[in-house]
Amino acid sequence: MAHKYFLTSLDGDTATVAGREAKHLVKVMRLREGDRVILTDKTGYDYDAVAQTVTDGEILFKVSGKRKNAAEPKSELTVFMALPKRDKLEFITQKMCELGAKEIVPFVSEYCVAQKSKRDESKTARLQKISDEATKQCGRSAPMTVRQTKTFKEILPMLARFDKVILLYEHGAEPFSQIDFSFCKKAALIVGSEGGFSQREADRLVRQGAVNTVLGARILRCETARVAGATLMMYALGEFE
């Protein structure tokens, strides 16, 4: 698969790539005038383009074709993840983007070791950069959005906008295989941290409409549960066909 790059602006058949993306193309990829690349606009479209004018800070391309990005999911999956330890955050962000999630919402639950801090803004920016890079690597057009860290209470009203909300919980009552995803276009997956959820939290999520679900008899690590859960969700939504 050809490398993809985010365009900065598009005017008719002229596309501009500026800033850090332009520097990467020039310094790392050794782009020259006449080289062909695929540009993406972060909204679901890809463009075939040829470099016309190349400088360190800005590159002008002539666009020769536009097409709908085939790798963008038709369904929307939001992953609510109770904050894991720092060393797992980047891996989870990357994999959720690769699997097709639309957004990821970190939040603090009762058993989280990690907590909200003054560094959350810079941490979110770092995770968004990882999502952007994963977007290009896996062939998508629109990067998965990484939200600012929420409290448990703050995520509860957010669940009302989804057609289906799945809570992965070791004491879940309903097997995933028995859940009906018919007519579901907007889905949410809620996964706990290393310590899981308290019974009180699980009950509150169920009262908000979440389906209390279990993935078999084995207890999965939080990073494994996220990958397994997102994979099953995207399959159930028809995204692996």
Side-chain angles (χ1 to χ4, degrees), residues 18-224:
R20 185 173 58 193
E21 197 83 331
K23 290 180 180 179
H24 176 76
L25 274 164
V26 174
K27 299 294 186 180
V28 179
M29 304 307 295
R30 307 294 184 188
L31 184 82
R32 298 291 182 264
E33 293 180 5
D35 287 351
R36 296 179 179 274
V37 301
I38 298 175
L39 302 178
T40 187
D41 63 4
K42 297 188 178 183
T43 68
Y45 289 93
D46 293 336
Y47 301 83
D48 298 312
V50 179
Q52 300 290 297
T53 305
V54 180
T55 65
D56 285 356
E58 183 179 83
I59 307 169
L60 299 182
F61 292 88
K62 182 176 178 59
V63 173
S64 59
K66 174 184 176 181
R67 59 186 175 277
K68 188 76 173 175
N69 180 279
E72 274 304 309
K74 298 178 178 62
S75 303
E76 296 181 8
L77 174 64
T78 295
V79 179
F80 291 87
M81 67 165 185
L83 273 179
K85 294 178 181 177
R86 183 178 177 181
D87 60 338
K88 299 172 183 175
L89 266 174
E90 295 186 1
F91 171 83
I92 292 168
T93 299
Q94 182 187 68
K95 300 312 170 190
M96 294 304 98
C97 181
E98 289 178 20
L99 287 167
K102 179 180 178 61
E103 61 179 352
I104 190 167
V105 183
F107 68 96
V108 178
S109 63
E110 190 173 333
Y111 295 156
C112 283
V113 175
Q115 296 292 318
K116 291 185 69 173
S117 70
K118 295 179 180 179
R119 298 180 63 249
D120 278 350
E121 188 172 336
S122 61
K123 182 167 59 179
T124 301
R126 168 64 180 162
L127 295 177
Q128 188 61 61
K129 181 180 178 182
I130 290 171
S131 174
D132 292 350
E133 292 304 314
T135 297
K136 293 185 287 186
Q137 179 273 320
C138 71
R140 293 179 63 179
S141 170
M144 178 187 70
T145 301
V146 180
R147 300 296 182 189
Q148 290 285 350
T149 302
K150 308 289 185 183
T151 64
F152 180 83
K153 185 177 180 180
E154 286 174 329
I155 72 166
L156 295 176
M158 298 172 67
L159 304 182
R161 63 186 173 98
F162 299 100
D163 302 321
K164 187 77 67 174
V165 179
I166 302 299
L167 166 64
L168 295 187
Y169 184 47
E170 62 266 30
H171 303 300
E174 187 166 353
F176 187 91
S177 59
Q178 295 181 13
I179 299 173
D180 183 10
F181 285 90
S182 300
F183 309 108
C184 180
K185 290 298 181 182
K186 292 186 177 182
L189 174 68
I190 308 174
V191 190
S193 63
E194 292 85 352
F197 292 111
S198 68
Q199 187 62 58
R200 180 185 64 84
E201 288 173 326
D203 291 343
R204 290 190 70 183
L205 290 167
V206 170
R207 287 197 296 271
Q208 290 295 125
V211 181
N212 194 355
T213 310
V214 63
L215 298 181
R218 290 172 297 279
I219 297 177
L220 305 178
R221 290 180 180 271
C222 69
E223 65 271 31
T224 309

